[in-house]
Amino acid sequence: MSTTQANKIEIIKAPNTKINEVDFDNLNFGSVFTDHLFECDYKDGEWQNPTIKPYAPFMMDPSSRVFHYGQAIFEGMKAYKDDNNDIWLFRPDENVKRFNSSAVRMAMPEIPESLFMEGLNQLLKLDEAWIKKGLGNSLYIRPFMIATGYGVVANPSNEYKFMIILSPAKAYYSGEVKVIIAEHFSRAANGGIGAAKTAGNYAGQFYPTSLANKDGFQQIIWTDDATHTKLEEAGTMNVFFRINDTLVTAPTSERILDGVTRKSIIAMAKKEGIAIEERPVLVSELIEGIKNGSLKEIFGAGTAAVVSPIKGFAYKNEYFELPEIENSVALQLKEKLTNIQHKLAEDPFGWTV
Ligand code: PLP
Ligand code: COI
């Protein structure tokens, strides 16, 4: 292994690459990782020892707070490669901002944007061969922070580890997406942690989602916890509904993740002159809309899921399938978004970096 010093980040290179063992045409989301990772530790009130090193397991004290109290946050972003072999990120400043607001909510230290971005940029340069060109190919970036301080007293940790790992990715959902509308379980509550990208929000969904999976549904569309009458978001994406020619999506709140894809879709729709409303969407509107034909499309939007059309939904044990349509607004917006992300079209918003 060779060690070099660059911009204060220590770089320890892997002696070999694993890239030749990877079948890039058959990737299961998030199951293969690149040769290196970035890490940085928070100790004595400051971030220290930023290092890029070979991807490998590491040791932790069994009493580390993350294992007991779930102080853990993460982000999801992607890197793309254009035909000139240049590497592009999509609105990374939004992810850093959200990471730090998740940190504040979970009583964890914020990380300086410069350290996050410098670590990420150097890591991407080192593992750039893992970013494949072409629509549908990307490198999924998973920054995360965990509480490493030892001791099982139920207080915030005083030590943390920040890491970035990278995983080559294709589609998140490989087939049709069908959803169940939540009637009993909840993902988030007012005053809770729903707007933070924190581990427990996902763990809490696994059981209800596994029940949905058994019945052939990939996801749950969560409803507000108090009345279960308003549609909020799905487990890994925000949701849009097209009622006649108007797109509607729930407003962000302390129960909903403020998605980067969501806000990009809203901006693109506005620019295209597509009517868009951010307002509470009622379950009853959806049932009425499917019955009278005004509900044309439902789609999810997220970094991993990109734009995923939803084929149908179940509510109170009844399944409703959406009509086949010719001019899918979801697919038009998906094409515009992915063209911008892959630098195949002009980026009038200045989102690509
Ligand atoms: N909602 C949840 C719960 C998510 O996990 C995600 C994925 O990150 C999203 C929405 C979409 O957010 P983004 O578009 O920033 O990836
Ligand atoms: C993402 O889209 O980045 C997500 O966080 C979804 C993830 C939970 C797979």
Side-chain angles (χ1 to χ4, degrees), residues 129-160:
W130 293 77
I131 316 175
K132 299 297 176 190
K133 291 181 206 175
L135 273 180
N137 290 322
S138 63
L139 187 69
Y140 185 74
I141 300 166
R142 175 53 65 90
F144 64 100
M145 193 204 305
I146 51 172
T148 49
Y150 74 90
V152 294
V153 57
N155 284 337
S157 171
N158 55 5
E159 294 186 1
Y160 296 87

Side-chain angles (χ1 to χ4, degrees), residues 171-214:
Y172 188 76
Y173 294 108
S174 50
E176 286 174 346
V177 183
K178 294 180 185 173
V179 296
I180 291 185
I181 295 177
E183 292 165 47
H184 168 68
F185 292 108
S186 298
R187 174 187 176 276
N190 284 331
I193 55 174
K197 214 161 160 60
T198 184
N201 282 335
Y202 297 81
Q205 298 183 85
F206 290 166
Y207 173 66
T209 306
S210 70
L211 297 180
N213 294 158
K214 275 191 200 135

